[in-house]
């Protein structure tokens, strides 16, 4: 018998309940994992409200990434064995003590990597590396402005961009978050106001971004916030810049496309989860690159909160309220 924090009806973080669940033996091509830690991500707040791209049948547990030890393997799995330390992308179901995961979603982790760091590794760094390397083709010497730079994907983007030789301007909503970004290596920080922005506030923000980039605008914008912040960031784009659409915790923006013509710039979607399925070989290579960066101590997950499984609702509330910095991880007994 296992336990899981499950969604029985459409609702917010408070709707999750801790239930006893049966977990069947793994079928062919699957691996059963004893979950030791589970990463908490913004899509988890959406999937329980039926606002995500995928709507699993209820009841289900949210949680798209886990780390733990292999308990057993199904037929056809040959290079994973009980006792192996692994992380896995599971889409949902990760807020549980035990889960069956398809073999291709599993990656062995280094012996020296704690489970908490492994659970906070693959989604944030995978998303940001795919965005910066595969979508934007960020080059050394280019400037990067990150909206939501103190969040999970934002902190990963800071570290990766610095490892790639870029100049990083971290956009955050408080002095505390600015300190987090600076400690991670951001070259400059920009504190923007929270809440709705009128036209005057948007113009001020756009000017501040452009000034921080040296007056010519930003080569790459990493937008993990959306809402009223998106248009000012786009207006601060340099000639032939690349605008990365990563997430929308502040709302889905409407952008004036005439700006893309005036700046000859590109707006690029970043759907990393789909990319891992469409190009598994590319995903595996990216994971090798990321583990090499981790071994070289150039990246390290910023785990700012660890909560027990039973407090998964509180973890999701912190994300929804944009009160979290770095990564929140559930410790699972």
């Amino acid at each position: 018998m296992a336990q899981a924090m499950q969604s029985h009806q459409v609702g917010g973080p408070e709707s999750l309940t801790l239930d006893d669940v049966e977990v069947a033996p793994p079928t062919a091509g699957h691996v059963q994992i004893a979950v030791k830690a589970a990463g908490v991500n913004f899509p988890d707040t959406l999937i329980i409200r039926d606002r995500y791209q995928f709507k699993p049948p209820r009841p289900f547990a949210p949680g798209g990434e886990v780390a733990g030890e292999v308990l057993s393997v199904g037929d056809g799995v040959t290079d994973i064995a009980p006792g192996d330390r692994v992380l896995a992308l599971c889409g949902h179901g990760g807020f549980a003590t035990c889960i069956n995961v398809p073999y291709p979603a599993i990656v062995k982790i280094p012996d020296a990597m704690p489970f908490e760091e492994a659970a906070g590794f693959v989604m944030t760094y995978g998303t940001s590396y795919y965005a910066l390397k595969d979508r934007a083709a960020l080059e050394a010497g280019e400037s990067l402005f990150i909206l939501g730079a103190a969040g999970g994907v934002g902190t990963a983007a800071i570290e990766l961009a610095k490892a790639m030789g870029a100049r990083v301007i971290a956009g955050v909503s408080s002095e505390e978050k600015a300190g987090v970004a600076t400690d991670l290596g951001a070259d400059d920080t920009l504190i923007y106001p929270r809440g709705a922005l009128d036209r005057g506030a948007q113009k001020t923000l756009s000017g501040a971004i452009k000034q921080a980039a040296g007056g010519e605008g930003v080569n790459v914008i990493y937008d993990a916030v959306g809402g009223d912040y998106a248009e000012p960031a786009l207006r601060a784009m340099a000639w032939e810049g690349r605008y990365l659409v990563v997430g929308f915790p502040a709302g889905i923006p409407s952008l004036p496309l005439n700006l893309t013509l005036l700046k000859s710039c590109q707006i690029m979607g970043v759907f990393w989860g789909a990319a891992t399925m469409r190009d598994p070989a590319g995903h595996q290579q990216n994971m090798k690159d990321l583990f090499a960066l981790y071994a070289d101590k150039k990246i390290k997950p910023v785990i700012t909160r660890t909560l027990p499984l039973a407090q998964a609702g509180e973890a999701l509330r912190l994300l929804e309220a944009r009160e979290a910095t770095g990564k929140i991880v559930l410790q699972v007994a």
Side-chain angles (χ1 to χ4, degrees):
M1 185 69 68
Q3 288 189 309
M5 285 294 290
Q6 294 202 111
S7 171
H8 291 267
Q9 60 189 18
V10 179
E14 73 287 346
S15 67
L16 298 181
T17 60
L18 184 62
D19 302 330
D20 291 329
V21 295
E22 293 283 351
V23 180
T27 56
H30 286 67
V31 175
Q32 188 169 100
I33 300 172
V35 179
K36 302 297 183 182
V40 183
N41 299 282
F42 191 72
D44 299 323
T45 71
L46 300 177
I47 199 169
I48 62 175
R49 296 184 184 273
D50 281 358
R51 294 178 182 171
Y52 196 54
Q53 291 93 333
F54 309 111
K55 296 179 175 62
R58 286 186 167 83
F60 71 88
E65 62 177 340
V66 299
E69 292 182 355
V70 173
L71 290 176
S72 58
V73 302
D75 292 341
V77 177
T78 57
D79 58 346
I80 295 286
D84 284 348
R85 304 173 77 253
V86 298
L87 60 77
L89 282 173
C90 49
H92 67 277
F95 292 178
T97 57
C98 183
I99 186 174
N100 291 326
V101 179
Y103 161 71
I106 290 175
V107 178
K108 291 182 181 180
I109 62 175
D111 290 340
M113 178 180 270
F115 287 120
E116 289 78 14
E117 290 188 6
F121 188 80
V122 64
M123 193 166 290
T124 50
Y125 287 105
T127 297
S128 292
Y129 195 53
Y130 168 70
L132 298 176
K133 169 181 169 280
D134 296 332
R135 300 297 288 144
L138 181 67
E139 296 182 2
E142 288 192 310
S143 59
L144 170 71
F145 176 65
I146 305 171
L147 277 164
V153 292
T155 54
I158 293 174
E159 291 181 305
L160 290 169
K162 292 307 298 178
M164 297 165 78
R167 181 173 182 273
V168 176
I169 305 160
V172 294
S173 61
S174 71
E175 289 284 357
E176 177 190 2
K177 292 180 179 181
V180 171
T182 299
D183 290 344
L184 288 172
D187 299 284
D188 201 354
T189 58
L190 192 161
I191 300 175
Y192 46 71
R194 296 194 60 155
L197 304 181
D198 60 22
R199 297 306 296 178
Q202 289 187 350
K203 184 176 180 180
T204 298
L205 176 57
S206 184
I209 298 170
K210 187 175 290 188
Q211 182 178 6
E216 295 298 320
V218 183
N219 299 119
V220 177
I221 289 173
Y222 183 108
D223 183 3
V225 176
D228 289 347
Y229 305 91
E231 184 175 333
L234 181 59
R235 289 185 180 276
M237 180 74 74
W239 178 256
E240 294 188 341
R242 290 89 76 201
Y243 190 111
L244 296 165
V245 180
V246 182
F248 319 104
I252 299 176
S254 297
L255 295 172
L257 291 182
N258 63 304
L259 294 176
T260 63
L261 182 150
L262 294 173
K263 298 173 179 292
S264 194
C265 66
Q266 302 176 63
I267 298 177
M268 301 176 166
V270 179
F271 193 176
W272 171 72
T276 64
M277 293 183 285
R278 290 174 175 269
D279 183 14
H283 169 57
Q284 289 297 323
Q285 182 57 56
N286 282 355
M287 290 305 301
K288 290 179 182 178
D289 294 348
L290 291 172
F291 279 127
L293 289 169
Y294 178 85
D296 290 342
K297 302 187 185 304
K298 292 183 178 179
I299 61 174
K300 178 181 173 67
V302 181
I303 311 296
T304 56
R305 291 288 296 272
T306 54
L307 295 170
L309 178 63
Q311 292 185 31
E314 171 62 8
L316 296 182
R317 186 199 67 78
L318 290 169
L319 281 188
E320 281 195 327
R322 296 170 61 191
E323 296 177 8
T325 58
K327 187 81 173 188
I328 301 175
V329 170
L330 299 180
Q331 290 180 323
V332 182

